[in-house]
Amino acid sequence: MNDVLYDPYDFAIHDDPYPTYAAMRERAPLYRNADVDFWALTRHADVYAAARNPAVYSNSHGVSLELWSPDARKRSSFISMDPPDHTSFRALISRGFTPRRVAELEPRIREITRGYLAAAIDRGTFDFVTDLATPIPVDVISELVGVPAADRGDLLGWSNAVIAREEGSTAISPESTTATMEIVAYYGQLVADRRRHPGDDLVSALLEAEIDGQRLTDRDIVAVCMLLGIAGNESTTKVLANAWYQAARHPDQRTIAWTPGRIGSWVEETLRYDSSGQMTARLVTEDVQWHGTTVPAGSRMLLIFAAANHDPAVFPDPERYDLNRDTSRMLTFGTGPHFCLGASLARLETRIVLEELVAAVAEDYDIGTPTRMHHPNIRGLASLPTTVKPS
């Protein structure tokens, strides 16, 4: 176990974690980092089993090492709950996040995408991340939640500050804490306003949601808004840029992506191959045995979904970017009761943006040297210079 070194705060790991994940799967399937104080599982079967057992692998202390706390529920609401509380709260939130509500966003997502894409094509050379992949999800989530256009720049700036990290540091920076407080205050005011003046948006729908007399509190709704406004924006932004980047690096697969009817394959293989969300943290509630070693109750366990997505026992030749592979067992959005509530929206946004790109620009686009953002869990690019020609 000691010959494998994995530190989720190491910038070198962020550049390319997959060789380290492979070493962990092979030589340390139960990994221990005593300095940061966590255990980790990386094999598909192990991650899958643990994620589907919330009684033993609990969300009660949150889902990240940085924000680990017995009071996590106060900050992140249903994300830091286990069944049965989680089940009822998720059902309430789902009332405002129905498949119909998500599907009805498609025309507007296309309209937003075409506006940003037309401006990018006019320039010819642009930054794929800042000019396309970031503003489109920001506008979509903002319209869904009910954030006015004039406020979106502030929210994006705060969101970027929340996830910014210093190399080697396991602590949340003062700037991140301040930005979090600004976002909480903003969404708190938005919820209060919608109580007085309901509208046709998610916040208003969540305020009206009721099951057996139970309603969401303002704090619960603020937590949902923050989850969508930070994690929702970031995940879609990163998947879009990862898809664009990987297709450029694998021109044979890019040709498949440009084939009619293959955008879905492009989305799904990108989600498997280079997931924007790498892991989740869980509290071990009782002594458990993994690979001949006892993990004591009270331990912190990382379930590394991105490593499971590269397990050759499930995905043959996993380091190959292959739009023809079967991705049905990938764990990008988790599994079990905590399967990502926003998975359908993330897939919808990504598919629509890529469809519009394929329709509008020639296949042989060029990319420059990207820069990578750094975060222990979120994997993606901060910039990606791109040059396109109209199709």
Side-chain angles (χ1 to χ4, degrees):
M1 186 181 294
N2 293 333
D3 67 335
V4 181
L5 297 176
Y6 169 64
D7 179 356
Y9 299 95
D10 183 351
F11 278 22
I13 289 288
H14 303 166
D15 289 337
D16 186 6
Y18 298 104
T20 300
Y21 292 161
M24 293 166 73
R25 283 193 309 269
E26 293 173 16
R27 304 199 300 275
L30 173 67
Y31 180 79
R32 172 64 174 159
N33 184 319
D35 293 333
V36 186
D37 187 23
F38 67 84
W39 302 79
L41 296 172
T42 49
R43 291 182 179 174
H44 188 281
D46 298 345
V47 173
Y48 180 85
R52 297 180 70 85
N53 188 357
V56 178
Y57 302 93
S58 167
N59 274 32
S60 63
H61 282 52
V63 296
S64 72
L65 298 178
E66 300 169 290
L67 299 172
W68 192 260
S69 168
D71 295 323
R73 180 171 177 168
K74 295 179 181 178
R75 180 184 62 252
S76 50
S77 185
F78 81 110
I79 297 298
S80 298
M81 297 179 190
D82 298 313
D85 288 350
H86 173 268
T87 306
S88 59
F89 269 78
R90 184 180 174 109
L92 272 169
I93 292 163
S94 296
R95 292 289 179 94
F97 210 73
T98 62
R100 178 191 59 80
R101 181 178 287 272
V102 172
E104 287 175 349
L105 293 171
E106 179 161 348
R108 182 58 181 145
I109 295 173
R110 289 197 186 277
E111 184 180 3
I112 291 169
T113 299
R114 288 170 181 171
Y116 285 108
L117 184 55
I121 293 174
D122 284 345
R123 294 196 298 276
T125 296
F126 58 95
D127 189 312
F128 187 87
V129 175
T130 59
D131 295 333
L132 274 185
T134 297
I136 293 170
V138 167
D139 279 359
V140 171
I141 292 293
S142 295
E143 291 193 7
L144 177 67
V145 171
V147 174
D151 297 342
R152 294 171 194 173
D154 287 339
L155 280 169
L156 178 59
W158 294 329
S159 176
N160 289 336
V162 167
I163 65 173
R165 295 295 181 266
E166 297 179 3
E167 185 167 11
S169 175
T170 61
I172 299 294
S173 69
E175 293 79 10
S176 177
T177 301
T178 298
T180 300
M181 293 171 64
E182 295 279 10
I183 295 175
V184 169
Y186 178 87
Y187 282 128
Q189 184 60 46
L190 181 65
V191 172
D193 180 72
R194 290 301 184 275
R195 279 200 182 278
R196 294 190 299 268
H197 309 289
D200 184 23
D201 53 50
L202 181 66
V203 169
S204 299
L206 292 175
L207 284 166
E208 295 174 1
E210 180 179 345
I211 295 179
D212 297 330
Q214 184 178 24
R215 290 182 178 268
L216 295 166
T217 67
D218 286 10
R219 175 183 286 177
D220 294 324
I221 297 173
V222 167
V224 173
C225 291
M226 290 190 65
L227 179 66
L228 290 170
I230 298 176
N233 284 337
E234 285 298 322
S235 61
T236 305
T237 293
K238 299 315 185 256
V239 171
L240 278 168
N242 288 349
W244 196 248
Y245 176 61
Q246 295 301 340
R249 293 182 63 238
H250 302 86
D252 59 326
Q253 300 303 303
R254 179 166 63 181
T255 296
I256 296 173
W258 252 252
T259 302
R262 296 307 302 274
I263 298 296
S265 301
W266 190 7
V267 174
E268 295 304 304
E269 175 62 351
T270 301
L271 287 168
R272 181 205 70 86
Y273 184 82
D274 205 10
S275 171
S276 59
Q278 296 278 292
M279 70 192 77
T280 188
R282 299 285 171 89
L283 172 71
V284 180
T285 63
E286 61 185 52
D287 291 359
V288 291
Q289 290 280 328
W290 285 105
H291 303 285
T293 298
T294 299
V295 178
S299 296
R300 306 195 296 181
M301 178 72 81
L302 291 185
L303 309 182
I304 307 183
F305 297 126
N309 284 344
H310 281 244
D311 190 337
V314 176
F315 304 102
D317 196 7
E319 306 310 320
R320 178 165 52 89
Y321 188 65
D322 179 8
L323 270 61
N324 289 318
R325 80 162 68 245
D326 178 4
T327 60
S328 60
R329 295 178 65 190
M330 71 174 173
L331 297 176
T332 302
F333 293 112
T335 183
H338 288 286
F339 182 82
C340 178
L341 190 62
S344 60
L345 177 59
R347 283 183 160 118
L348 177 68
E349 287 184 85
T350 306
R351 174 179 61 79
I352 290 172
V353 174
L354 294 179
E355 284 175 352
E356 294 296 326
L357 279 159
V358 166
V361 307
E363 176 188 331
D364 58 341
Y365 63 86
D366 294 317
I367 61 171
T369 302
T371 57
R372 185 163 295 284
M373 61 90 67
H374 292 283
H375 190 277
N377 181 36
I378 302 169
R379 175 169 168 78
L381 303 176
S383 68
L384 180 60
T386 294
T387 300
V388 301
K389 295 174 292 186
S391 59

